[in-house]
Amino acid sequence: MLWFQKKKTTMADRGEKVDDRLQHIAFIMDGNGRWARRRGMPREFGHSHGAATFKKIGRYCEKIGIRFMTVYAFSTENWKRPQKEVDTIMEIFDEYIEDCFREMEDDNVRVRFVGNLAVFSESLRAKMAKIERETAHKPFMLNIAVNYGGREEIANACNELIREGKQEITEEDISAHLYTVGSPMPDLIVRTGGEIRSSNFLLWQSAYSEYYFTDILWPDFSAHDVDQAVSVFYKRKRRYGGV
Ligand code: FPP
């Protein structure tokens, strides 16, 4: 760095925290494949870097006082990808869970897997359940959406209610049977990678969420980009259908 260049600081560098308007942030982590291709590398390379970014951004969000974070890690549609790519993503999950066990003493992260987990192997599900149990007392809630689809989640909630014998279903009933139950509705949903759509992510929960779209590919997403999304969020007027 040259003497006349001022280092750009982040909210965390300045000791700033978000206020209660921003409790829950969610990310659609898009662009791993393109990021790798631009470097002449296989898509899996992008997912490894995407996983590193995910950890970095999670730590940063916790540092600036966000209490709930949800990431779209694997959708119900992502199984259509080449087997090698699916296998790599599954290996990344497995490694991440191992990391969580190793780092549990030092961090504040409460991990929860949201989605239809029945498709995963028994050993992976056992590990997921164990890390959820062992981090249940931590303050920063991290929901990792795996084999997740918003429509499937709503249908699943309705089926659970039918099994419970409900004759009529209210909005509150559905909210109470979502995979993300216990987390407030997301205030801000960030999608990287340039696409402007929700891709079946948090369909019910996002009714009044603010969206922030950026062309930045997920592996390049940084703490400064979180700050930028937060500052745009604070300029929005949330009216929830009122005036
Ligand atoms: C979308 O980019 C990314 C995914 C479908 C996988 C996301 C997974 C990770 C970032 C790993 C996260 C790890 C944990 C433990 C949560 P894309 O592949 O669709 O990219 P493209 O649009 O450029 O093809």
Side-chain angles (χ1 to χ4, degrees):
M1 169 135 348
L2 301 170
W3 65 270
F4 52 84
Q5 284 177 319
K6 202 161 168 245
K7 188 176 175 274
K8 211 171 141 207
T9 59
T10 62
M11 279 181 74
D13 296 331
R14 299 189 295 274
E16 291 171 11
K17 301 250 187 217
V18 296
D19 61 27
D20 274 354
R21 285 175 290 172
L22 181 50
Q23 295 189 35
H24 186 174
I25 192 167
F27 292 97
I28 302 178
M29 308 182 287
D30 199 9
N32 292 343
R34 278 167 286 161
W35 186 90
R37 286 291 179 215
R38 282 179 197 175
R39 284 160 179 76
M41 299 297 281
R43 296 174 54 81
E44 292 76 19
F45 182 71
H47 295 311
S48 304
H49 279 265
T53 300
F54 152 74
K55 287 190 218 163
K56 191 179 71 189
I57 296 298
R59 276 194 295 272
Y60 185 72
C61 287
E62 194 252 321
K63 218 168 175 177
I64 61 170
I66 290 170
R67 292 175 36 221
F68 300 85
M69 173 167 148
T70 301
V71 293
Y72 205 5
F74 197 81
S75 77
T76 42
E77 287 73 38
N78 286 154
W79 298 104
K80 294 181 208 147
R81 294 182 176 217
Q83 192 56 44
K84 186 160 167 268
E85 183 171 342
V86 171
D87 290 346
T88 302
I89 296 174
M90 293 303 142
E91 277 163 30
I92 289 174
F93 293 155
D94 200 60
E95 276 166 30
Y96 176 69
I97 297 173
E98 293 298 334
D99 280 358
C100 287
F101 282 122
R102 271 193 301 275
E103 292 161 18
M104 209 159 45
E105 297 300 315
D106 308 320
D107 68 31
N108 289 324
V109 184
R110 173 177 183 183
V111 183
R112 186 166 57 160
F113 294 93
V114 295
N116 181 350
L117 307 183
V119 295
F120 295 112
S121 70
E122 209 167 302
S123 70
L124 186 55
R125 269 188 291 148
K127 265 193 202 179
M128 287 174 173
K130 185 161 186 250
I131 197 71
E132 287 183 348
R133 259 193 328 272
E134 294 194 7
T135 59
H137 58 291
K138 307 266 185 172
F140 175 68
M141 179 94 228
L142 174 62
N143 296 307
I144 303 179
V146 282
N147 193 34
Y148 175 89
R151 290 179 176 182
E152 193 277 339
E153 179 182 39
I154 296 167
N156 178 68
C158 294
N159 283 323
E160 280 186 8
L161 288 160
I162 292 168
R163 283 194 291 274
E164 288 169 17
K166 281 267 177 196
Q167 300 295 317
E168 236 178 75
I169 294 175
T170 63
E171 291 188 17
E172 289 72 28
D173 288 332
I174 294 188
S175 293
H177 286 75
L178 297 174
Y179 296 129
T180 56
V181 65
S183 297
M185 302 294 155
D187 301 295
L188 173 62
I189 300 179
V190 174
R191 180 171 188 150
T192 61
E195 308 287 356
I196 305 187
R197 55 174 166 263
S198 74
S199 298
N200 205 11
F201 184 48
L202 304 179
L203 290 187
W204 183 273
Q205 299 88 330
S206 62
Y208 287 102
S209 302
E210 296 294 328
Y211 277 93
Y212 176 83
F213 296 100
T214 169
D215 289 339
I216 296 168
L217 302 177
W218 176 254
D220 288 331
F221 197 74
S222 68
H224 291 291
D225 300 316
V226 175
D227 288 358
Q228 175 64 20
V230 168
S231 98
V232 169
F233 169 80
Y234 277 133
K235 291 195 186 96
R236 304 258 178 96
K237 293 242 180 315
R238 302 183 79 190
R239 289 190 292 272
Y240 301 95
V243 286

